[in-house]
Amino acid sequence: MESQLNPHISVDCVVFGFSPNGIKVLLVKRELDKLNESPTPSYDLKLPGSLVYNDELLDDAASRVLKELTGIENVFLERFEVLDSLDRMKNQKDKEWLESTTGLTIDRVISVAYFGLVNLADSELNGLSERSKWVTLESAIQLPFDHSKIIQRARELLLHSAGTEPIAFDLLPEKFTIFQLQQVLEVFNGSGIDSRNFRKKLKTLDFIVPLAEKQINVAHKPAQLYKFDRKRFMQFRKQKNASFI
Amino acid sequence: MESQLNPHISVDCVVFGFSPNGIKVLLVKRELDKLNESPTPSYDLKLPGSLVYNDELLDDAASRVLKELTGIENVFLERFEVLDSLDRMKNQKDKEWLESTTGLTIDRVISVAYFGLVNLADSELNGLSERSKWVTLESAIQLPFDHSKIIQRARELLLHSAGTEPIAFDLLPEKFTIFQLQQVLEVFNGSGIDSRNFRKKLKTLDFIVPLAEKQINVAHKPAQLYKFDRKRFMQFRKQKNASFI
DNA sequence: AATACTTAGCGTAACAAATACACTAAGTAT
DNA sequence: ATACTTAGTGTATTTGTTACGCTAAGTATT
């Protein structure tokens, strides 16, 4: 078994970028010049994804492909779906592009989709490659292959796991205020949360731990700072219908 | 694209058999004669699973393979895991067996695991093929490939998703009473349910559909019959904290 | 024919949780 | 001084969950 690309198995990464304004998704440019030999450079956008090496784990392939295509690393990627539809390659252009970039004959590719989340304000994201691009969810339509559908499914996953998985706290600093947590959750489920009821609910949760500290240098009443207790959260989520929103 | 086996993609089915006494899992015999040419027929047991055809959907492949190997059909199979470990074929015997039965050269196989549940009391199970066998979970250890691990994961799934997945309805007949549904759920979460509150709750769920029929020839007041609407259930589970128990 | 037994099925009161909404507090910026 | 922003508490209402009482409609037993 040599280290060669498996022509039947690929990974695709849906990486959402969080900002207070909304959620964006990370796409990469696909050069289309080689196909039609047009004089002007042309490209379209697709999810970062590629074929998997025969001696490579899927999780490793997802991280590698994301790093190679976008420059982003150290993102926790979660496997969430298998795409096996027979018409994934129905657009002849997609098949030709894949064959020309890999040098392989492509008949059928099954893709394993990964999900990741980063904070667009993080300085670590400065290493973003030039060929990659953050776009709004509204503009991520009519992508090649079934990538629009994959993004749609990832968005549903994000919505569903906002209250049951600890992903919100990956976007917050070590010490955060209730207002900050609320803003993150509001972006996730796309609607406003009543801050008074939200505070009431949080008081019943032992994994949101108040610190002996307050905000400083803010142009309003300084807020109590809290930290996230991951261990207690893991206990909490074992309950029957555990959701904190 | 012709109808030929894809040497890189397989499906494996974990089918649990439910009975009041306990849970069993369905395995198939694997003939080992051809390999070692021993005079006495020898076999071991494995999960029903096989390679996928290039023009075949994974869901279809799972149903086909289960039918071919065990004779069981019309079982709802749910995709629940992807097995991509590099040492799945570490046992040379497994690789040789797969190559001899498929006539293909095998380097790496990624397997998509499916989960199903049937009632051992169902008469439909009489069509069970001779090469398949129900075994207790305790005895389903040290199976070929990573099949023991897959069964272990499926068992965790069974324990944790009684109220969020439609598995309970795989054990019930097409037309069932509320009491029957309650009994199955009581086995899953190991404790009694108040039948009056349970009925009240079910009335709010649109995927439990009352039929224009009642039980006949029962030694008590005949009960209303219901059917399970899987489509509506799939909508229901998309809700925020969807659990029906 | 009366009675026991079994599952079916409705109702009601107490309690817990989610929601809607009013108000005051403490800081900075102008 | 006043406006602006986020912080934080309280209360009343609606909705959902739980505990439990009771009657209904069949067959089996005596």
Side-chain angles (χ1 to χ4, degrees):
Chain A
M1 188 159 81
E2 290 169 39
S3 188
Q4 54 190 23
L5 287 175
N6 189 312
H8 296 120
I9 303 165
S10 73
V11 289
D12 284 300
C13 303
V14 181
V15 178
F16 286 129
F18 173 87
S19 83
N21 308 323
I23 292 171
K24 296 193 170 186
V25 63
L26 184 60
L27 301 181
V28 293
K29 295 175 184 174
R30 177 175 71 157
E31 303 291 341
L32 296 174
D33 299 291
K34 291 157 193 163
L35 292 180
N36 53 23
E37 294 170 11
S38 74
T40 57
S42 81
Y43 67 86
D44 63 3
L45 292 167
K46 64 183 279 291
L47 283 178
S50 183
L51 295 179
V52 174
Y53 285 104
N54 253 334
D55 60 352
E56 184 178 42
L57 291 175
L58 293 175
D59 290 2
D60 295 341
S63 297
R64 169 184 63 79
V65 166
L66 185 63
K67 172 80 192 304
E68 284 177 3
L69 295 180
T70 71
I72 291 183
E73 52 190 326
N74 299 326
V75 176
F76 182 75
L77 292 169
E78 191 180 0
R79 200 187 291 175
F80 77 97
E81 192 176 27
V82 182
L83 286 304
D84 70 323
S85 159
L86 295 175
D87 60 0
R88 297 191 68 228
M89 220 74 72
K90 66 180 169 205
N91 195 328
Q92 189 65 17
K93 190 179 72 176
D94 291 341
K95 183 178 173 182
E96 285 172 9
W97 174 83
L98 193 53
E99 292 189 330
S100 78
T101 54
T102 61
L104 295 170
T105 304
I106 301 296
D107 50 358
R108 183 193 193 177
V109 181
I110 283 183
S111 190
V112 180
Y114 282 79
F115 167 89
L117 192 56
V118 300
N119 196 331
L120 285 179
D122 277 1
S123 55
E124 302 150 27
L125 297 180
N126 289 340
L128 199 67
S129 80
E130 290 211 356
R131 57 177 299 194
S132 54
K133 196 177 175 183
W134 292 104
V135 307
T136 64
L137 291 177
E138 294 73 39
S139 58
I141 50 173
Q142 293 185 321
L143 301 183
F145 304 99
D146 45 10
H147 288 186
S148 301
K149 184 185 153 199
I150 298 176
I151 292 174
Q152 172 64 23
R153 294 290 303 269
R155 181 71 180 92
E156 287 168 11
L157 180 73
L158 177 63
L159 201 60
H160 190 263
S161 53
T164 54
E165 304 288 327
I167 53 180
F169 303 98
D170 295 338
L171 300 177
L172 291 169
E174 275 292 303
K175 302 170 182 181
F176 57 87
T177 70
I178 291 184
F179 187 61
Q180 288 174 314
L181 173 58
Q182 180 182 335
Q183 281 180 314
V184 170
L185 296 178
E186 278 176 345
V187 171
F188 280 165
N189 62 8
S191 62
I193 298 172
D194 185 287
S195 67
R196 297 158 294 191
N197 294 331
F198 185 62
R199 284 170 188 278
K200 212 184 301 172
K201 173 104 190 198
L202 286 197
K203 276 187 188 160
T204 70
L205 305 175
D206 68 342
F207 57 84
I208 307 286
V209 185
L211 302 169
E213 255 182 285
K214 289 198 171 201
Q215 283 181 313
I216 46 170
N217 296 333
V218 285
H220 51 78
K221 177 174 174 178
Q224 171 78 50
L225 289 170
Y226 294 81
K227 69 165 184 171
F228 174 60
D229 190 321
R230 200 170 288 267
K231 270 188 188 173
R232 288 182 185 169
F233 178 79
M234 292 306 171
Q235 279 302 118
F236 165 81
R237 83 193 314 205
K238 281 181 185 169
Q239 290 170 209
K240 214 173 73 176
N241 296 329
S243 174
F244 63 93
I245 49 173
Chain B
M1 189 158 80
E2 289 167 39
S3 188
Q4 53 191 22
L5 286 175
N6 189 312
H8 296 120
I9 303 164
S10 73
V11 289
D12 283 301
C13 304
V14 181
V15 178
F16 286 128
F18 179 90
S19 83
N21 309 323
I23 291 166
K24 296 193 171 187
V25 63
L26 184 59
L27 301 181
V28 293
K29 295 175 185 174
R30 177 175 71 160
E31 302 292 341
L32 296 173
D33 299 292
K34 291 159 193 163
L35 292 179
N36 54 23
E37 293 172 11
S38 74
T40 58
S42 82
Y43 66 87
D44 62 4
L45 292 166
K46 64 183 279 290
L47 284 177
S50 184
L51 295 179
V52 174
Y53 285 104
N54 253 334
D55 60 353
E56 184 178 42
L57 291 175
L58 292 175
D59 290 1
D60 294 341
S63 297
R64 171 183 61 79
V65 166
L66 185 63
K67 171 81 191 304
E68 284 178 2
L69 295 180
T70 71
I72 292 184
E73 53 190 327
N74 300 325
V75 175
F76 184 77
L77 293 168
E78 190 176 2
R79 202 185 291 176
F80 77 97
E81 192 175 28
V82 182
L83 286 305
D84 70 323
S85 159
L86 295 175
D87 59 0
R88 298 191 68 229
M89 220 74 71
K90 67 181 170 205
N91 196 329
Q92 189 65 18
K93 189 179 72 176
D94 292 340
K95 183 179 172 181
E96 284 172 10
W97 175 83
L98 194 53
E99 290 188 331
S100 79
T101 54
T102 62
L104 295 170
T105 303
I106 301 295
D107 49 0
R108 183 194 193 174
V109 182
I110 283 183
S111 190
V112 179
Y114 281 79
F115 169 89
L117 197 52
V118 299
N119 197 331
L120 285 179
D122 276 1
S123 56
E124 301 151 28
L125 296 179
N126 290 340
L128 200 67
S129 79
E130 291 212 355
R131 57 178 299 195
S132 54
K133 197 177 175 185
W134 292 105
V135 306
T136 64
L137 291 175
E138 294 73 39
S139 58
I141 50 174
Q142 294 184 322
L143 301 183
F145 306 100
D146 45 11
H147 288 187
S148 301
K149 184 184 153 198
I150 297 176
I151 292 174
Q152 174 62 25
R153 293 290 303 270
R155 189 162 185 278
E156 289 167 10
L157 182 72
L158 174 66
L159 291 173
H160 284 100
S161 53
T164 54
E165 307 286 329
I167 53 179
F169 304 98
D170 297 336
L171 298 178
L172 293 168
E174 273 292 305
K175 303 170 182 180
F176 57 87
T177 70
I178 292 183
F179 187 61
Q180 288 173 313
L181 173 57
Q182 179 182 336
Q183 282 180 314
V184 171
L185 294 179
E186 279 175 345
V187 170
F188 279 131
N189 65 1
S191 60
I193 299 172
D194 186 287
S195 67
R196 296 158 295 191
N197 293 332
F198 185 63
R199 284 169 188 278
K200 213 182 301 171
K201 174 105 188 197
L202 287 196
K203 275 187 188 159
T204 70
L205 304 176
D206 68 344
F207 57 84
I208 308 286
V209 184
L211 302 169
E213 254 182 285
K214 291 199 171 200
Q215 283 181 315
I216 47 169
N217 296 333
V218 285
H220 50 78
K221 177 174 174 178
Q224 171 78 49
L225 290 170
Y226 294 81
K227 69 165 183 171
F228 174 60
D229 189 321
R230 201 170 288 269
K231 272 189 187 172
R232 288 182 185 170
F233 178 80
M234 291 307 170
Q235 280 303 119
F236 164 81
R237 85 199 307 212
K238 282 182 184 170
Q239 286 172 208
K240 219 172 65 176
N241 298 328
S243 175
F244 64 94
I245 48 173

